[in-house]
């Protein structure tokens, strides 16, 4: 059946080449024009794709329901301070240092005012008093006015301290004074029809500060604040009530609360806009302050926080995609030029792969867009920013391999037959091997559909779809182009049929000598390996076994620290290090607990019950603070004495009345009112570490026992956890289970395909064994390499690496085994088994090696973001690249190394030696 379909496909493609080419070029044009852009439909993030059954996912839903409207989902933390060392460890920030902070705050408060005003306009506000505005807009109008007041007050304080540094330059909207804040407050007060005398005074002040302000300032509704659209609030050390939480003598913090998730694609624009704002502060005030204090360690202004880390990760992903695509194309071109030294033979694969990439990515983008918009109700597809890297790399690698095998077989057939017949025979000869090779990869990747984690679940099948498109292109468009071009495709080489066959080294006629280069090296390798197969087999297994054992032991030694994915010098990591020198990280990144009672109780009773529960929480290992409605900062533990009329008592009462405390700990939603309580637990430790995860799990176990206790006031209450550490716990739990499930599914799927293609169960089982051995050896060598590369900064491989490495290596790694074994089986129909083995190894050695190098090169191109920017800078070429993404770099290295091991070791040594041993045990008649 397969043979008949193969012959029919070969006949159709070679008889109508121009029709095939025109059809593919038309399809490509349609997808390029009409398919949505990848970045418009790509998703990001990790925690967002956990299954619904996970506690943190349920917690997010409860938060959305109980605290409707705009709630903070991430934050950007701005840090002002000095490196903590022997000299500066106790040196507090001076008034000059705090002046830099004022320069930052006056700009940020104004930016929040702009965003709040625009948000009120979007919610339906046009003009008139706040009380007459739509209810949803009233909060934001009040916020806009408050923030403008803060910006102007801080601006006055800043200018008083900065007056000695004011440069002799033309004034702008924000320098030296915040003229735009005065101007905006005047316009807002007039729109609100209140404090008109103040509005007139503000407008006069704004004009004095910048005469052309009326024409220079853009109307509020026309300002492009898209990058800041997620900005909800600004908390800083300057806050009279919350300021103590964000202040240390030698460092200060400002927290920008964002409505966007930490990995939202909009965070890229936010970070780029924030970088521009910080550059202004660094140049205008920070530089001058540092120059005025030459004997003091330089003051630094950095940023970190979940939104900053997520944004930088997305920027690094974007750069990685750009570099990977460029290097992949260059590497493929270089390898094809070296292999063929024929311009048309280079052009045919490049055109084929270009069509495959354009059509497959366009098809996936279109299907995903339909899925998002529910055009096809049953379709469930999503793509991610980093998915494109895998698609491009695997398509270029596999597509080039398919073309190389087809062209290699065509070279053989063209030495025996006329051109059209040679093309047809070449297709018939390689189609089964290409199908077997492609289907092992397709089915292996498709098994990721069974994963619960969303990124695994969606990524595997879309790569499989793209590979199927690539296979169709290589089985139709590529041979059509070869037929249309004719034998001149080998120019300047010449391929023509020979009448007299020559004698082969392996005792059978070999008519391929004309125009076909034979490799004495592969003849020698084939004979040497099969002459002493037992020794070769044993030594080959033992050599891989040592690194494989190390890989087995370290398979779960991975890190879920998202910040560690960024380069050590990434802005957000520098900011994190500076912040951690002065502040306890747990206070900035607490564990949030939502307690939902089955029935409501009076608010005061609920407060007392929470206080009692918080005392139990303080007894848990690792808990250093519990923030509740009665103790919003969590700095009054049960053992701390506090007088009724002490300043601390007054501060605690003031904290309870703060707008954040009023809306944070209890829900105003009628469905949750007096049923839901929210509290933050401050845990001592790195929120990404396993040790902290164990502490949080212990807290969860204790609360679960409280909820199950029939004598407890919290009986039958539900406890939900959210925050970085609980999300890491859920993510780790899901991905570990997925790893076990998917690995078994991949092995079974690939084994079924191998049995269907090769039809020798024992050999197929051995091929699975070799690729598993190769996987663990690759993992072990990768761990050793990055331990040596990162040194003390090594915290483990990226948590996604083991599964993606396993799936891709098991699936793709069988390609070369399939090519070799199918050729052995084919030759055994014409030759004695040993001669067939040696002939197949010799015949396929060069082309499989070339294919392996192509695939390895495409995978190694994923590491380009680690070394290409430095290389370009060394040559004097400026680049706007930021930082490399360690997860992609590590995976690219591991995949490239694994393919090289499969190509040069498994296929060259382990497979032929096993086939030779199994052949020796056959009866002589065989």
């Amino acid at each position: 059946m397969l043979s008949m379909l193969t012959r029919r496909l070969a006949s159709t493609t070679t008889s109508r080449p121009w029709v095939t080419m025109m059809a593919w070029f038309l399809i490509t044009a349609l997808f390029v024009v009409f398919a949505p852009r990848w970045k418009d439909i790509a998703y990001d993030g990790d925690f967002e794709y956990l299954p619904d059954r996970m506690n943190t996912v349920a917690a997010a839903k409860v938060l959305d329901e109980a605290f409707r409207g705009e709630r903070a989902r991430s934050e950007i933390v701005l840090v002002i301070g000095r490196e903590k060392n022997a000299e500066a460890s106790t040196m507090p920030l001076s008034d000059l240092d705090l002046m830099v902070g004022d320069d930052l705050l006056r700009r940020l408060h104004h930016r929040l005012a702009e965003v709040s005003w625009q948000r009120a306009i979007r919610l339906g506000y046009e003009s008139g008093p706040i009380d007459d505005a739509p209810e949803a807009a009233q909060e934001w109008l009040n916020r806009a006015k408050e923030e403008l007041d803060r910006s102007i007050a801080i601006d006055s304080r800043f200018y008083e301290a900065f007056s000695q540094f004011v440069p002799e330059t033309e004034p702008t909207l924000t320098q030296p004074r915040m003229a735009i804040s005065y101007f905006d407050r005047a316009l807002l007060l007039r729109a609100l029809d209140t404090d008109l005398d103040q509005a007139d005074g503000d407008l006069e002040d704004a004009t004095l500060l910048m005469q052309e302000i009326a024409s220079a300032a853009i109307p509020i509704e026309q300002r492009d604040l898209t990058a800041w659209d997620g900005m909800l609030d600004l908390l800083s050390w300057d806050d009279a009530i919350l300021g103590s939480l964000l202040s240390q003598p030698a460092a200060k913090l400002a927290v920008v609360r964002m409505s966007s998730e930490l990995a939202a694609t909009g965070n890229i624009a936010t970070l780029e806009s924030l970088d521009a704002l910080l550059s202004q502060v660094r140049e205008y005030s920070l530089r001058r302050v540092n120059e005025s204090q030459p004997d003091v360690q330089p003051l630094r202004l950095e940023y970190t926080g979940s939104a900053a880390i997520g944004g930088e990760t997305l920027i690094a992903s974007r750069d990685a995609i750009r570099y990977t695509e460029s290097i992949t194309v260059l590497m493929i071109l270089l390898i094809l030029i070296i292999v063929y030294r024929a311009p048309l033979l280079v052009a045919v694969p490049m055109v084929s792969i270009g069509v495959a990439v354009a059509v497959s990515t366009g098809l996936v983008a279109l299907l995903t867009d339909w899925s998002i918009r529910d055009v096809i109700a049953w379709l469930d597809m999503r793509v991610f920013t980093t998915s494109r890297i895998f698609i491009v790399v695997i398509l270029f690698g596999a597509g080039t391999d398919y073309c190389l095998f087809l062209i290699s077989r065509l070279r053989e057939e063209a030495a025996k037959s006329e051109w059209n017949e040679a093309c047809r025979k070449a297709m018939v000869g390689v189609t089964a091997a290409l199908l077997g090779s492609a289907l092992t990869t397709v089915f292996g990747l498709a098994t990721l559909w069974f994963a619960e984690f969303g990124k695994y679940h969606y990524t595997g099948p879309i790569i499989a779809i793209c590979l199927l498109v690539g296979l169709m292109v290589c089985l139709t468009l590529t041979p059509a182009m070869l037929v249309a071009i004719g034998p001149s495709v080998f120019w300047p080489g010449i391929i023509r049929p020979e009448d007299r066959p020559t004698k082969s080294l392996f005792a059978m006629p070999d008519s391929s000598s004309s125009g076909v280069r034979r490799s004495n090296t592969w003849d020698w390798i084939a004979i040497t390996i099969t002459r002493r197969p037992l020794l070769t087999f044993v030594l080959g297994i033992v050599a891989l076994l040592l690194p494989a054992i190390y890989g087995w032991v370290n398979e779960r030694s991975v890190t879920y620290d998202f910040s560690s994915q960024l380069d050590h010098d990434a802005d957000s990591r520098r900011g994190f290090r500076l912040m951690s020198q002065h502040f306890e990280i747990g206070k900035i990144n607490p564990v949030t607990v939502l307690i939902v009672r089955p029935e409501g109780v009076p608010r005061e009773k609920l407060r007392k019950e929470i206080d009692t529960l918080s005392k139990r929480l303080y007894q848990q290992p690792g808990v250093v603070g519990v923030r509740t409605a009665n103790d919003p900062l969590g700095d009054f533990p049960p053992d701390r004495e506090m007088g009724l009329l002490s300043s601390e008592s007054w501060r605690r009462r003031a904290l309870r009345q703060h707008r954040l405390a009023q809306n944070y700990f209890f829900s105003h939603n009628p469905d949750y009112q007096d049923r839901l309580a929210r509290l933050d637990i401050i845990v001592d430790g790195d929120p990404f570490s396993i040790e902290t995860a164990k502490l949080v799990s212990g807290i969860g176990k204790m609360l679960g026992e409280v909820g199950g206790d029939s004598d407890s006031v919290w009986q039958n209450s539900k406890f939900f956890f959210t925050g970085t550490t609980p999300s890491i716990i859920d993510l780790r739990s899901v991905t570990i289970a997925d790893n076990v499930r998917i690995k078994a599914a991949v092995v079974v799927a690939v084994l079924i395909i191998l049995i269907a293609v090769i039809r020798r169960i024992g050999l197929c089982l051995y091929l699975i064994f070799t690729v598993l051995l190769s996987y663990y050896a690759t993992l072990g060598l990768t761990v050793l390499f990055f331990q040596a590369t990162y040194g003390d900064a090594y915290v483990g491989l990226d948590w996604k690496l083991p599964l993606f490495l396993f799936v891709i290596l098991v699936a793709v790694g069988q390609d070369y085994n399939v090519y070799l074994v199918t050729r052995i089986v084919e030759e055994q129909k014409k030759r004695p088994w040993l001669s067939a083995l040696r002939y197949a190894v010799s015949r396929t050695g060069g082309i499989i090696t070339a294919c392996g190098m192509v695939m390895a090169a495409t995978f190694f191109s994923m590491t380009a973001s680690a070394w290409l920017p430095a290389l370009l800078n060394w040559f004097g070429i400026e680049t706007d690249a930021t930082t490399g993404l360690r997860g992609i770099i590590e995976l690219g290295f591991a995949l490239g190394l694994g393919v090289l091991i499969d190509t040069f070791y498994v296929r060259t040594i382990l497979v032929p030696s096993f086939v030779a041993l199994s052949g020796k045990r056959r009866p002589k008649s065989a």
Side-chain angles (χ1 to χ4, degrees):
M1 180 68 175
L2 178 61
S3 177
M4 182 184 69
L5 291 175
T6 298
R7 288 194 295 271
R8 182 173 297 177
L9 175 64
S11 177
T12 302
T13 302
T14 55
S15 61
R16 299 180 180 86
W18 292 104
V19 174
T20 303
M21 288 191 294
M22 291 303 297
W24 274 114
F25 294 148
L26 178 61
I27 292 171
T28 303
L30 290 174
F31 275 114
V32 169
V33 173
F34 294 107
R37 294 182 302 174
W38 193 271
K39 68 177 184 178
D40 294 336
I41 47 91
Y43 286 73
D44 276 290
D46 290 310
F47 300 146
E48 295 82 0
Y49 300 100
L50 290 169
D52 290 341
R53 64 181 177 83
M54 304 311 293
N55 185 277
T56 52
V57 176
K61 292 180 180 178
V62 171
L63 277 174
D64 287 336
E65 294 172 1
F67 299 92
R68 289 175 181 168
E70 301 285 352
R71 72 172 178 87
R73 293 172 172 84
S74 63
E75 71 283 326
I76 297 173
V77 181
L78 297 146
V79 192
I80 294 180
R82 290 183 172 86
E83 288 282 354
K84 200 169 186 180
N85 56 29
E87 296 179 0
S89 58
T90 58
M91 178 181 174
L93 297 181
S94 65
D95 290 341
L96 279 180
D97 297 332
L98 294 176
M99 180 187 70
V100 177
D102 285 342
D103 190 14
L104 172 68
L105 290 181
R106 65 185 186 136
R107 299 169 192 263
L108 287 176
H109 280 294
H110 175 258
R111 182 54 44 86
L112 178 56
E114 292 179 299
V115 172
S116 301
W117 193 354
Q118 275 199 359
R119 191 171 287 131
I121 292 173
R122 287 199 302 270
L123 292 171
Y125 177 73
E126 295 179 357
S127 63
I130 293 178
D131 292 341
D132 295 340
E135 184 177 355
Q138 291 179 12
E139 175 188 354
W140 299 110
L141 288 170
N142 279 316
R143 181 71 55 79
K145 185 177 181 303
E146 290 172 6
E147 296 304 319
L148 287 171
D149 291 343
R150 294 295 305 280
S151 177
I152 291 172
I154 296 173
D155 177 68
S156 299
R157 189 173 67 202
F158 165 78
Y159 187 73
E160 184 178 344
F162 188 73
S163 57
Q164 59 179 311
F165 299 107
V166 174
E168 295 182 1
T169 57
E170 288 295 319
T172 67
L173 294 173
T174 59
Q175 294 173 180
R177 302 293 300 275
M178 290 292 294
I180 188 64
S181 293
Y182 290 90
F183 185 77
D184 283 348
R185 189 169 70 173
L187 297 183
L188 179 60
L189 292 175
R190 286 182 174 181
L192 297 174
D193 195 24
T194 185
D195 291 335
L196 297 182
D197 290 340
Q198 177 71 63
D200 292 340
D202 284 343
L203 189 58
E204 183 178 346
D205 289 341
T207 305
L208 286 174
L209 295 173
M210 183 181 178
Q211 293 183 355
E212 306 84 6
I213 193 167
S215 58
I218 302 173
I220 184 66
E221 61 273 7
Q222 297 177 18
R223 296 178 193 175
D224 184 9
L225 300 174
T226 307
W228 295 88
D229 196 49
M231 189 179 189
L232 293 178
D233 204 352
L234 174 63
L235 309 175
S236 77
W237 71 91
D238 194 55
D239 189 293
I241 298 174
L242 293 177
S244 61
L245 179 66
L246 305 171
S247 178
Q248 290 292 330
K252 308 295 179 184
L253 299 182
V255 180
V256 179
R257 303 174 75 225
M258 306 288 294
S259 63
S260 56
E261 299 289 352
L262 67 89
T265 52
N267 288 345
I268 294 177
T270 302
L271 274 194
E272 290 173 344
S273 184
L274 177 65
D275 272 326
L277 187 149
L278 295 184
S279 295
Q280 293 174 359
V281 175
R282 288 169 180 147
E283 176 61 27
Y284 196 69
S285 59
L286 180 62
R287 178 178 62 83
R288 291 180 169 87
V289 166
N290 282 333
E291 288 175 352
S292 69
Q293 305 176 99
D295 298 331
V296 179
Q297 187 181 17
L299 184 69
R300 289 171 52 193
L301 171 59
E302 306 287 354
Y303 63 76
T304 186
S306 58
I309 293 171
E312 280 206 298
T313 301
L314 292 176
I315 293 172
S317 299
R318 180 191 64 188
D319 292 340
I321 292 171
R322 184 174 59 196
Y323 285 126
T324 298
E325 291 182 350
S326 302
I327 293 298
T328 297
V329 173
L330 290 175
M331 282 187 170
I332 296 297
L333 268 174
L334 182 62
I335 292 173
L336 289 175
I337 291 170
I338 293 172
V339 170
Y340 289 130
R341 296 190 291 275
L344 292 176
L345 277 183
V346 173
V348 168
M350 293 304 297
V351 171
S352 300
I353 298 164
V355 168
V357 170
V359 172
S360 61
T361 53
L363 175 63
V364 167
L366 187 63
L367 292 175
T368 302
D369 183 53
W370 288 351
S371 173
I372 294 171
R373 295 190 291 113
D374 288 328
V375 175
I376 302 177
W378 54 266
L379 186 63
D380 182 23
M381 287 183 67
R382 295 293 185 272
V383 298
F384 306 94
T385 302
T386 51
S387 301
R388 186 175 177 89
I389 293 180
F390 294 109
I391 291 173
V392 170
V393 166
I394 293 178
L395 259 185
F396 264 89
T400 304
D401 285 358
Y402 300 156
C403 292
L404 285 174
F405 269 93
L406 177 60
I407 293 171
S408 175
R409 193 57 177 262
L410 176 61
R411 188 190 294 273
E412 292 183 39
E413 299 297 339
K416 298 183 278 188
S417 308
E418 294 299 327
W419 185 253
N420 280 20
E421 180 65 12
C423 291
R424 189 189 66 79
K425 286 183 177 180
M427 276 200 66
V428 172
V430 301
T431 297
L434 291 182
L435 282 173
S437 167
L439 290 179
T440 56
T441 308
V442 167
F443 276 80
L445 290 167
T447 58
L448 285 170
W449 181 262
F450 298 108
E452 284 194 286
F453 179 52
K455 272 196 169 179
Y456 292 161
H457 176 77
Y458 292 115
T459 299
I462 66 171
I463 300 175
I465 291 172
C466 294
L467 262 181
L468 285 175
V469 173
L471 178 65
M472 291 172 60
V473 169
C474 292
L475 289 179
T476 53
L477 177 60
T478 305
M481 287 192 292
L482 291 171
V483 172
I485 296 172
S488 57
V489 74
F490 290 101
W491 180 87
I494 300 174
I495 298 290
R496 58 175 177 267
E498 285 287 340
D499 295 328
R500 297 178 61 185
T502 60
K503 196 74 172 178
S504 167
L505 175 65
F506 304 111
M508 291 294 289
D510 182 6
S511 56
S512 61
S513 60
S514 176
V516 184
R517 295 184 294 272
R518 290 293 304 270
S519 172
N520 291 330
T521 302
W522 285 104
D523 289 347
W524 177 82
I525 291 174
I527 294 172
T528 302
I529 290 173
T530 55
R531 183 174 292 162
R532 296 182 179 84
L534 181 59
L535 179 63
T536 304
F537 176 80
V538 172
L539 291 179
I541 294 294
V542 170
L544 272 190
L545 202 56
L546 296 176
I549 292 173
Y550 192 73
W552 173 277
V553 171
N554 287 277
E555 187 174 19
R556 290 193 178 181
S557 299
V558 296
T559 178
Y560 287 82
D561 186 344
F562 292 90
S563 66
S564 70
Q565 294 301 300
L566 296 169
D567 186 77
H568 186 72
D569 292 326
D571 290 338
S572 58
R573 294 196 70 182
R574 288 204 309 268
F576 184 85
R577 289 195 298 271
L578 180 61
M579 179 178 70
S580 62
Q581 291 177 5
H582 300 278
F583 295 88
E584 295 178 27
I585 299 303
K587 290 185 177 181
I588 308 299
N589 205 335
V591 174
T592 297
V593 181
L594 302 173
I595 309 173
V596 181
R597 298 177 61 107
E599 298 176 354
V601 296
R603 178 66 58 86
E604 284 306 312
K605 181 180 179 182
L606 185 58
R607 282 177 178 267
K608 292 178 180 178
E609 291 173 350
I610 293 171
D611 275 348
T612 303
L613 181 62
S614 70
K615 293 177 181 178
R616 289 195 61 179
L617 287 170
Y618 271 108
Q619 298 172 6
Q620 288 296 115
V623 174
V624 296
V626 181
R627 296 173 184 163
T628 65
N630 288 339
D631 184 10
L633 294 186
D635 52 359
F636 294 102
D639 58 352
R640 182 176 177 180
E641 296 183 1
M642 181 174 54
L644 182 64
L645 300 179
S646 67
S647 60
E648 290 181 341
S649 177
W650 285 105
R651 186 169 69 90
R652 185 174 181 180
R653 281 192 283 272
L655 282 168
R656 294 175 187 174
Q657 302 304 315
H658 195 279
R659 58 181 172 81
L660 284 182
Q662 290 290 310
N663 299 316
Y664 187 83
F665 295 102
F666 298 108
S667 171
H668 298 292
N669 184 336
D671 295 334
Y672 289 95
Q673 195 164 11
D674 297 330
R675 288 181 55 227
L676 181 144
R678 179 178 183 176
L679 51 88
D680 287 346
I681 302 174
I682 303 168
V683 180
D684 183 21
D686 182 350
F688 294 101
S689 71
I690 297 296
E691 291 74 19
T692 305
K694 291 178 181 178
L695 294 174
V696 173
S697 297
I699 295 170
K701 183 179 179 181
M702 185 274 284
L703 291 176
E705 293 172 353
V706 169
D709 186 355
S710 59
D711 296 328
S712 171
V713 296
W714 302 103
Q715 182 185 10
N716 297 326
S717 296
K718 294 181 179 180
F719 295 87
F720 301 97
F721 297 82
T722 185
T724 299
T725 305
S727 297
I728 292 293
I729 292 172
D730 281 355
L731 181 63
R732 190 170 185 271
S733 171
V734 170
T735 52
I736 287 175
D738 278 344
N739 283 359
V740 175
R741 184 187 309 111
I742 298 305
K743 285 179 180 178
V746 170
V747 169
V748 171
V750 172
L751 180 60
I752 290 172
I753 297 298
L754 288 176
I755 292 174
V757 173
I758 299 174
R759 301 180 184 277
R760 297 185 182 180
I761 296 178
L763 180 56
C764 293
L765 289 172
Y766 176 72
L767 294 180
I768 291 292
F769 165 75
T770 60
V771 82
L772 291 177
L773 184 64
S774 172
Y775 159 73
Y776 282 109
T778 300
L779 188 61
L781 292 172
T782 301
V783 171
L784 287 171
F785 177 82
F786 284 105
Q787 281 177 339
T789 301
Y790 295 151
D792 294 338
Y794 179 80
V795 292
L797 296 177
D798 178 47
W799 57 275
K800 296 183 288 295
L801 185 146
L803 184 62
F804 277 124
L805 176 64
F806 183 90
V807 172
I808 296 174
L809 206 56
V810 170
V812 174
Q814 292 295 359
D815 284 7
Y816 310 123
N817 291 336
V818 169
Y819 291 143
L820 173 60
V821 173
T822 53
R823 188 61 184 263
I824 292 173
V825 172
E826 179 185 343
E827 294 301 330
Q828 284 180 346
K829 298 175 183 177
K830 302 180 286 186
R831 310 167 188 267
W833 71 267
L834 185 58
S835 177
L837 172 59
R838 289 175 173 175
Y839 186 87
V841 171
S842 174
R843 210 19 129 174
T844 61
I847 189 60
I848 291 179
T849 300
C851 289
M853 292 179 66
V854 165
M855 185 65 80
T858 58
F859 284 137
F860 279 129
S861 69
M862 294 170 65
T863 68
S865 59
W867 51 266
L868 186 58
L871 184 64
L872 293 175
N873 290 333
W874 189 78
F875 281 105
I877 302 173
E878 293 187 3
T879 173
D880 59 350
T882 51
T883 58
L885 200 58
R886 285 190 174 183
I888 293 176
I889 293 167
E890 292 168 359
L891 182 58
F893 175 85
L895 287 170
L897 177 62
V899 169
L900 290 180
I901 291 174
D902 277 335
T903 303
F904 288 98
Y905 198 86
V906 174
R907 183 266 313 177
T908 304
I909 297 174
L910 298 186
V911 174
S913 61
F914 178 83
V915 174
L917 285 174
S918 59
K920 279 190 172 184
R921 291 195 298 270
R922 291 186 178 189
K924 292 293 184 180
S925 59

